[in-house]
Amino acid sequence: MIQSTQGGAATHAPLLAIEGLTKSFGKVEVLRSVDLGVAKGEVVTVIGPSGSGKTTLLRCVNFLETYDSGSIRIDGREVGYKDAGGRVRRGERELAGIRADTGMVFQSFNLFPHLTAAENVMLGLRKVRGKSKAEARAAAEHWLSRVGLGHKADSLPGELSGGQQQRVGIARAVAMEPKILLLDEITSALDPELVGEVLEVVRSLAAEGMTMLMVTHEIAFARDASHRIVFMADGKVAAAGPPSEVLAAASHNQRLGAFLARFRASHF
Amino acid sequence: MGYHLNFNLIWRHFDKLWGGLILSLELAVLSIAIGIVIGLVLATWYVSAGRVARAVIGAYVEFIRNVPLILLVYLVFYGLPKALNLAYDAPTSFVATLSIYSGAYLVEVFRSGLEAVPRGQLDAGKAIGLTPWQRFFHVRLPTMIRITLPALSNTFISLFKDTSVASVIAVPELTYGAQWINFNTFRIVEVYLVVTAMYLVTGYGLLFALRLVERRFRVR
Ligand SMILES: Nc1ncnc2c1ncn2[C@@H]1O[C@H](COP(=O)(O)OP(=O)(O)O)[C@@H](O)[C@H]1O
Ligand SMILES: [Mg+2]
């Protein structure tokens, strides 16, 4: 079992600090003043109904989406904007540097289809981290072994199963040694029998102290693997706390109760 | 009275046809190479450009696609040198024309190819910290090339056939060689039979080779 870092986290500024975050797509307000902190080594899981803004929240954290107001700080540094006589969008090079320290794993894997598993992992190591080909290859082989794919290093994504592709996706993200890993429903596109192998990798990363902010519909997994669960509804944090508390709150939080009822039958 | 086929005179002058075929291929290869550069640059510009630049690029594409090639060939060979007081030989003029011509078609091919690269791949490139140029070269371009390879092959085969238009400004390519032999031997049926066969065999050979290349680079 993973130990909670709740007590310690309170005394330090969190690694990821989101405050008053708002974001609209046109007229639609998708995030409505979201506050959320993730301490170093902490695993926080975001759950909530479809359309509640979970993906948007994660995408804002590495600035794949711009945000309208509020702040997102990683290690105290604002992600997308700087204060230069007003709120100014950071330049592309600066953004690239910030994103390199923020790993992301996608629901649809998003591997580079023309590159082998190893090359997928190596691209960022070579072009962003400036490693030599040999160093990058060694790191890629190390991480692919860690996700159980040492023997698939030279396979193209199209030759791999969904579960294998997603594990390459994880290796590609963690090989960059990010400060925090963002995981957006990474098992939702997988056949049920392939979900376990991917969650196992996430569990082992958590056990090693990787800081993670993830979105998942695997409630049982969220309960076991996270330090904290955040329930989002309508672009707001509707409930947050240790898994046992949040899941127990379902009895008096109607929306949460309704949301979780869908999972009860199969997962509890 | 029947027409008796006699290929002897064709074989005697076959060097004209062989040399013409080689020149046709050279014209096509040069033109598509330059056309690819034009197409890539303009397509890349187009997908990130504002409305004015898009309108200009769009106008170029529309103009070229709606004017017969033979007219463009005359314009560039006879018109431009007069208008701008330039001097260049016929093969150069033709390569320039066919490059501009193929460039217009390839802008469209590359533009739709660039837009067909899945958003998720670009997001993944961003997420590992690649800069915009790195994302373009290492993510967008390789996928786009693979998507557009079949269209690129078809364009090249078309261009190879289009080189026959160069005969109107006396570039000694394959069709011009055929005309020369016809004028000098009057074996019109034989020469055009042979030349047709040469275009067919070369065209199919190219198509076969290019399909092999496509298969090599195909990604699921
Ligand atoms: N690029 C976009 N343009 C317009 N609307 C969007 C875009 N992305 C998401 N949305 C809308 O924002 C809302 C939240 O979406 P999302 O963050 O994907 O929710 P979740 O991940 O919780 O299902 C939805 O109503 C969705 O339709
Ligand atoms: Mg989502």
Side-chain angles (χ1 to χ4, degrees):
Chain A
M1 232 356 250
I2 299 149
Q3 229 189 319
S4 172
T5 56
Q6 280 293 288
T11 53
H12 301 285
L15 173 71
L16 170 66
I18 301 172
E19 285 169 10
L21 184 70
T22 67
K23 161 80 182 172
S24 300
F25 286 112
K27 284 206 174 95
V28 187
E29 252 198 315
V30 175
L31 298 177
R32 301 192 290 172
S33 193
V34 172
D35 297 302
L36 176 65
V38 182
K40 194 168 185 322
E42 197 180 17
V43 176
V44 174
T45 299
V46 181
I47 60 173
S50 166
S52 57
K54 307 179 298 294
T55 294
T56 306
L57 176 67
L58 253 58
R59 289 172 62 85
C60 284
V61 172
N62 64 353
F63 211 61
L64 292 183
E65 299 288 354
T66 59
Y67 45 94
D68 304 329
S69 66
S71 75
I72 302 174
R73 290 170 197 280
I74 294 176
D75 266 348
R77 188 173 186 220
E78 184 69 35
V79 168
Y81 304 93
K82 55 189 169 192
D83 196 2
R87 190 169 178 265
V88 180
R89 192 185 202 273
R90 288 191 190 279
E92 286 292 338
R93 300 200 131 265
E94 243 181 326
L95 286 173
I98 289 171
R99 290 187 186 120
D101 289 337
T102 315
M104 188 159 204
V105 185
F106 302 86
Q107 180 174 347
S108 49
F109 325 142
N110 294 348
L111 296 183
F112 307 124
H114 60 292
L115 300 180
T116 63
E119 288 165 343
N120 264 274
V121 180
M122 289 165 67
L123 185 60
L125 297 176
R126 298 213 56 200
K127 301 299 165 191
V128 179
R129 294 289 185 235
K131 286 189 196 284
S132 73
K133 194 168 181 182
E135 283 174 313
R137 175 79 198 188
E141 283 175 1
H142 166 77
W143 282 109
L144 287 172
S145 303
R146 270 297 316 274
V147 301
L149 291 173
H151 60 299
K152 293 289 187 186
D154 297 315
S155 299
L156 287 167
E159 299 161 354
L160 301 174
S161 74
Q164 291 172 332
Q165 287 190 53
Q166 192 57 296
R167 285 185 280 152
V168 174
I170 295 172
R172 176 175 67 180
V174 292
M176 297 294 289
E177 298 179 11
K179 292 173 180 167
I180 183 169
L181 191 59
L182 309 170
L183 308 125
D184 187 11
E185 291 197 39
I186 65 169
T187 57
S188 292
L190 297 177
D191 293 335
E193 71 272 19
L194 301 178
V195 168
E197 67 190 49
V198 172
L199 293 185
E200 209 38 59
V201 170
V202 177
R203 210 185 291 269
S204 77
L205 289 171
E208 282 174 22
M210 172 70 77
T211 309
M212 292 194 263
L213 178 60
M214 65 177 167
V215 174
T216 185
H217 286 307
E218 302 287 336
I219 302 294
F221 177 74
R223 184 192 53 197
D224 296 344
S226 353
H227 298 111
R228 249 176 339 125
I229 288 184
V230 171
F231 174 62
M232 272 185 79
D234 291 333
K236 283 190 209 148
V237 173
S244 52
E245 278 176 32
V246 171
L247 299 178
S251 55
H252 57 265
N253 183 327
Q254 217 179 12
R255 305 206 53 158
L256 181 56
F259 173 70
L260 289 174
R262 295 197 286 122
F263 298 97
R264 280 271 137 75
S266 54
H267 289 87
F268 288 84
Chain B
M1 191 189 90
Y3 182 96
H4 293 285
L5 290 176
N6 179 353
F7 285 97
N8 286 339
L9 284 168
I10 311 297
W11 303 143
R12 192 175 304 162
H13 297 291
F14 192 70
D15 58 322
K16 282 266 186 300
L17 299 184
W18 182 249
L21 177 65
I22 299 299
L23 183 58
S24 290
L25 283 169
E26 285 172 354
L27 295 172
V29 168
L30 264 177
S31 301
I32 196 148
I34 301 170
I36 284 173
V37 173
I38 295 174
L40 270 180
V41 169
L42 293 187
T44 306
W45 189 18
Y46 187 95
V47 293
S48 60
R51 278 177 46 189
V52 176
R54 284 188 174 212
V56 172
I57 297 168
Y60 158 64
V61 171
E62 283 307 307
F63 174 77
I64 297 294
R65 298 218 296 190
N66 288 293
V67 175
L69 175 60
I70 190 164
L71 213 66
L72 293 172
V73 169
Y74 283 137
L75 268 174
V76 174
F77 187 59
Y78 297 114
L80 275 190
K82 279 232 174 68
L84 303 177
N85 204 15
L86 296 170
Y88 38 69
D89 61 13
T92 307
S93 172
F94 184 74
V95 167
T97 311
L98 203 57
S99 300
I100 294 166
Y101 179 78
S102 62
Y105 284 84
L106 292 176
V107 172
E108 277 299 290
V109 169
F110 290 143
R111 184 195 57 76
S112 57
L114 283 174
E115 282 167 2
V117 175
R119 257 285 296 278
Q121 279 185 43
L122 300 177
D123 284 344
K126 280 185 185 173
I128 58 171
L130 297 180
T131 61
W133 274 111
Q134 288 174 330
R135 295 198 295 269
F136 185 76
F137 278 113
H138 299 293
V139 180
R140 207 168 187 187
L141 201 57
T143 301
M144 179 276 268
I145 296 288
R146 284 166 171 79
I147 292 171
T148 55
L149 225 43
L152 218 51
S153 304
N154 294 343
T155 305
F156 181 67
I157 307 283
S158 291
L159 284 189
F160 167 63
K161 289 186 294 177
D162 288 339
T163 56
S164 67
V165 176
S167 60
V168 301
I169 54 171
V171 175
E173 46 67 61
L174 183 52
T175 300
Y176 187 81
Q179 288 168 355
W180 187 93
I181 294 175
N182 180 32
F183 289 143
N184 288 282
T185 66
F186 303 107
R187 306 310 302 183
I188 185 164
V189 178
E190 290 87 339
V191 75
Y192 284 115
L193 272 177
V194 169
V195 165
T196 301
M198 288 173 80
Y199 274 112
L200 271 176
V201 169
T202 312
Y204 272 108
L206 286 171
L207 192 63
F208 181 75
L210 291 169
R211 291 287 179 256
L212 285 182
V213 175
E214 283 166 31
R215 198 172 316 161
R216 161 76 185 72
F217 282 102
R218 184 162 52 208
V219 283
R220 191 197 61 88

